[in-house]
Amino acid sequence: MQDQKNDAAMRRIAYFSMEIGAHSDIPTYSGGLGVLAGDTIRSAADLEIPMVAVTLCYDKGYFFQIINGDGYQVEHEIRWDFSDTFDLLPKIIDLEIQGKKVKLGAWKYEVKGEHGWTIPVYLLDTDVEGNEQWQRNFTHVLYDSTPFQRIVQEVILGIGGAKLLEELGYKNISTYHMNEGHAAFLTLYLFNKFKGDLKRVKEKCVFTTHTPVPAGHDQFDYNLVKDVLRGQTPDEIRKYAGQNDLNMTKLALSMSRYINGVSKKHGEVSRNMFPGTKIDYITNGVHSRFWTNPHLTKVLDSFETDEIHWADSWFDKIWKLDADDLWRAHTKAKYDLLDYEKSNHYVLFDREILTIGFARRFTGYKRATLIFNDLEKLAKIAEKKIQFLFAGKAHPRDDYGKSLIKMIDDYSEVLWNNYRIKVAFLENYDMDLAKIMISGCDVWLNNPIRYREASGTSGMKAAHNGLLNLSVLDGWWIEGYKMDPLAGWAIGPAPGEPGCEENNDRVEAQNIYTLLEKEVIPLYYKNRSEWINRMRHAIALGSYFNTHRMIREYADKAYNLIEQPRWTTSELL
Ligand SMILES: *Cc1c(COP(=O)(O)O)cnc(C)c1O
């Protein structure tokens, strides 16, 4: 058991993330990045990694999504009381922002592993007595888009977080892990602490990038940086963080001893984006037990599976899984989903119909409306055979993302009125709804513009539950499909094949229709036993695309915690 007094001193990995999706009741995440952080910490707790995590305590969370009568997203501030969930630390530290003192408090939450090992998560908070009101607002909402608010939040995370850990007695941190560039100011803190010794900073820092497009990287005007940080920026900052603007990714790249992307392809894309930088990859995963539905879990637990490396052992054993047991578990999960759907939507879904799910953040590159590109063609194929379920939030300031939500509402009307095809959009996508959807649909649709999806973890969750992925070859699916093409279908060309960079909506939609008509529908309705067999192939992918495997790779390649022979991706690829 952990000895409280020495606990801080033995923690060696400090994991920094702007968002952590610990739980649906803790609404301090917006999407994949935060959920990945949550899964990472859950697996680190199970595998007893000496980690501590830092994030911000957004007392208004992200937002609660309602779809109004006209099909538009309406955002509501979340009211939640975290004082029961988190413990308030007595410690208050001082930060300096715009040359003024800001008091920074913190809350503590513990993520408990299967065998009782816990990972402390510290949530930083400026809503502290003694701060002026405008300072108290710093940590109200996640991803506040004004550059000032945003840089301040990142200063709080990076500098505030590093300082807090020190003051709490975390004296033996050998690795600061920046989960995305948001935390990169921690390198400035270390740079100042080590009196400009870059080598020493680099020895301590590792960086995981998640963003495959240049526009996605946070950049700040140096005037703003100077105004906010005053004397805390080194003179040679432009050398490390970019000449014209301070680019958080560049800063993190310059200051890290190990850098990785989150899938094989994303590693490659990142290397092309930052030539001359050594960038490895560690493919993302999801926490298997967390994301596998209870009905299937029961069936899988009846195997003699290794308790800790639960999903790892599926690879050998899944083939013996009884078809009836598997189908029964899936049917129960599907009924759970449809019960939820019916009590939350006026479109009443049918239990016997092939159900295709699409749920993720609503942002342009994910092309949520691609399936509706040619309504007549779709209708011919899908009539009486497919129902579509959507969910996802658009960032409050992403008007295009919001318009996509409205468009789905419009398509839903047309498809019902003219063809009796059911399309429903479920409100307020969060981890709970994600779990219901990735458990109970039959097919998981994913059609991003190629090479923009760094990884895409919802498809991994779906595979764990025996859903078949119908996906563009991007992010994790390039690897997943290669490992086992029976786990789903690939939309359009593979990387390197003709047309792979065109992303022509019309062509891609036709590809989806052809797959649905020629493969997905006949298999589902006419060859159920082969469908069930394919579900086994999907579930088997869970033995690789899980955060236990992922965190072991980090422990080995990024954290230098494992001295044993390397557990490498090449064994399976
Ligand atoms: C898993 C998950 C995501 C990430 O999905 P992608 O496929 O990576 O887009 C986003 N939001 C929630 C709530 C999730 O559970």
Side-chain angles (χ1 to χ4, degrees):
M1 272 297 100
Q2 282 157 264
D3 167 358
Q4 279 298 324
K5 223 170 102 200
N6 292 321
D7 186 72
M10 55 71 56
R11 302 273 163 179
R12 291 171 56 193
I13 315 300
Y15 183 78
F16 281 63
S17 186
M18 202 66 183
E19 42 173 316
I20 294 183
H23 204 279
S24 254
D25 295 343
I26 303 176
T28 60
Y29 65 94
S30 84
L33 184 73
V35 176
L36 174 79
D39 281 354
T40 301
I41 294 167
R42 273 183 279 281
S43 279
D46 288 343
L47 297 181
E48 308 191 358
I49 304 281
M51 179 185 272
V52 51
V54 182
T55 187
L56 264 54
C57 184
Y58 309 99
D59 62 332
K60 292 184 173 32
Y62 193 46
F63 68 91
F64 189 94
Q65 179 199 51
I66 288 173
I67 306 297
N68 72 13
D70 297 323
Y72 289 103
Q73 167 175 302
V74 179
E75 298 112 29
H76 279 262
E77 236 173 48
I78 289 177
R79 295 178 194 164
W80 66 300
D81 194 350
F82 47 82
S83 54
D84 293 337
T85 316
F86 305 155
D87 296 322
L88 183 62
L89 295 189
K91 176 126 317 265
I92 299 273
I93 64 166
D94 285 329
L95 266 188
E96 210 177 281
I97 289 171
Q98 283 187 315
K100 285 206 174 106
K101 260 208 183 124
V102 180
K103 289 185 188 305
L104 184 62
W107 301 78
K108 185 180 181 186
Y109 176 77
E110 291 195 322
V111 175
K112 201 168 193 168
E114 286 198 46
H115 297 279
W117 180 260
T118 60
I119 307 284
V121 179
Y122 294 103
L123 301 104
L124 308 170
D125 188 5
T126 59
D127 195 356
V128 171
E129 200 140 334
N131 281 341
E132 294 168 33
Q133 191 54 50
W134 64 283
Q135 297 173 319
R136 295 177 83 143
N137 294 347
F138 286 161
T139 51
H140 272 345
V141 273
L142 173 60
Y143 297 140
D144 211 331
S145 302
T146 73
F148 174 73
Q149 194 79 4
R150 198 156 168 132
I151 190 174
V152 167
Q153 289 192 339
E154 296 188 9
V155 166
I156 291 169
L157 178 68
I159 298 178
K163 210 167 163 183
L164 178 82
L165 289 185
E166 264 181 18
E167 299 208 9
L168 290 174
Y170 291 87
K171 305 249 183 244
N172 295 313
I173 299 295
S174 55
T175 301
Y176 290 87
H177 184 176
M178 294 171 268
N179 185 43
E180 191 51 301
H182 308 127
F185 285 133
L186 80 83
T187 64
L188 291 191
Y189 177 77
L190 295 176
F191 193 86
N192 290 332
K193 183 178 152 185
F194 297 146
K195 305 199 165 47
D197 187 342
L198 179 65
K199 202 165 148 260
R200 283 188 72 192
V201 180
K202 270 184 124 161
E203 272 166 14
K204 292 257 183 214
C205 296
V206 307
F207 171 46
T208 302
T209 174
H210 295 260
T211 315
V213 279
H217 300 269
D218 270 339
Q219 303 203 36
F220 299 111
D221 190 311
Y222 276 112
N223 291 325
L224 178 65
V225 177
K226 289 257 150 75
D227 178 45
V228 169
L229 285 174
R230 304 282 159 100
Q232 299 168 78
T233 48
D235 295 335
E236 59 272 59
I237 183 82
R238 285 171 201 262
K239 201 167 91 193
Y240 302 121
Q243 283 302 323
N244 303 319
D245 291 299
L246 186 150
N247 181 316
M248 294 297 278
T249 300
K250 281 193 188 148
L251 179 60
L253 292 171
S254 307
M255 299 275 183
S256 297
R257 68 165 193 254
Y258 176 85
I259 301 147
N260 72 290
V262 291
S263 69
K264 191 172 184 202
K265 183 72 189 176
H266 178 238
E268 195 184 306
V269 168
S270 304
R271 282 191 295 276
N272 289 335
M273 201 161 27
F274 302 103
T277 319
K278 235 181 115 186
I279 303 178
D280 196 7
Y281 76 92
I282 295 177
T283 302
N284 278 167
V286 298
H287 189 277
S288 301
R289 269 204 190 270
F290 190 85
W291 290 107
T292 305
N293 76 71
H295 312 296
L296 185 59
T297 296
K298 216 160 140 190
V299 178
L300 293 167
D301 270 342
S302 65
F303 285 155
E304 277 176 47
T305 44
D306 179 331
E307 224 185 306
I308 297 182
H309 304 298
W310 192 53
D312 294 7
S313 45
W314 294 354
F315 197 76
D316 299 325
K317 295 184 177 157
I318 210 76
W319 318 108
K320 295 187 205 115
L321 195 61
D322 181 73
D324 291 336
D325 287 349
L326 178 51
W327 190 250
R328 218 173 293 123
H330 174 65
T331 306
K332 283 183 190 161
K334 184 166 180 176
Y335 290 0
D336 287 349
L337 167 68
L338 299 191
D339 287 349
Y340 179 90
E341 192 278 331
K342 283 185 190 129
S343 53
N344 286 279
H345 208 284
Y346 51 85
V347 174
L348 305 186
F349 270 26
D350 193 320
R351 289 182 165 196
E352 301 305 320
I353 296 238
L354 171 64
T355 304
I356 297 186
F358 181 105
R360 39 185 63 85
R361 283 184 306 116
F362 266 62
T363 176
Y365 81 85
K366 294 188 187 243
R367 295 194 291 189
T369 56
L370 185 69
I371 185 86
F372 303 123
N373 184 276
D374 182 345
L375 285 184
E376 262 178 49
K377 180 85 184 271
L378 175 66
K380 242 184 242 154
I381 296 164
E383 204 170 352
K384 295 201 170 66
K385 297 201 186 74
I386 305 179
Q387 53 198 2
F388 295 96
L389 195 51
F390 286 84
K393 295 174 182 175
H395 188 279
R397 300 192 202 205
D398 179 0
D399 289 332
Y400 182 64
K402 288 184 181 178
S403 77
L404 291 171
I405 293 175
K406 164 64 182 159
M407 276 189 241
I408 288 180
D409 189 69
D410 294 344
Y411 289 128
S412 170
E413 291 289 312
V414 174
L415 285 169
W416 175 250
N417 291 336
N418 298 336
Y419 308 103
R420 290 291 180 260
I421 291 171
K422 293 170 184 171
V423 179
F425 188 102
L426 294 175
E427 290 170 313
N428 198 45
Y429 187 54
D430 64 2
M431 287 163 70
D432 283 340
L433 179 54
K435 184 154 179 189
I436 297 171
M437 289 183 71
I438 53 90
S439 299
C441 291
D442 298 300
V443 166
W444 198 246
L445 178 65
N446 178 44
N447 44 232
I449 292 177
R450 277 179 186 71
Y451 318 138
R452 301 265 183 99
E453 194 63 86
S455 144
T457 49
S458 64
M460 302 177 189
K461 300 169 193 165
H464 271 78
N465 288 281
L467 277 71
L468 301 185
N469 272 276
L470 174 60
S471 171
V472 159
L473 286 164
D474 194 12
W476 83 283
W477 187 236
I478 298 176
E479 291 160 65
Y481 184 72
K482 187 171 171 195
M483 230 177 251
D484 193 343
L486 292 179
W489 295 273
I491 300 167
E497 285 178 6
C500 71
E501 309 253 2
E502 279 165 30
N503 296 297
N504 180 312
D505 283 359
R506 187 148 189 95
V507 174
E508 306 256 86
Q510 296 297 326
N511 279 332
I512 299 177
Y513 302 146
T514 306
L515 283 170
L516 289 175
E517 185 180 15
K518 302 272 191 294
E519 303 202 29
V520 183
I521 291 173
L523 189 68
Y524 187 80
Y525 289 105
K526 301 224 173 84
N527 194 352
R528 190 58 55 83
S529 67
E530 179 54 18
W531 184 281
I532 296 169
N533 185 43
R534 291 265 215 135
M535 289 175 67
R536 293 191 186 100
H537 286 261
I539 297 168
L541 288 186
S543 61
Y544 180 79
F545 295 99
N546 64 72
T547 36
H548 278 36
R549 184 270 310 156
M550 184 196 84
I551 200 85
R552 286 200 302 268
E553 280 199 60
Y554 277 101
D556 172 14
K557 299 195 224 173
Y559 303 160
N560 301 332
L561 285 180
I562 297 179
E563 276 79 43
Q564 298 150 16
R566 271 202 177 180
W567 201 97
T568 58
T569 44
S570 57
E571 282 171 35
L572 280 165
L573 279 177

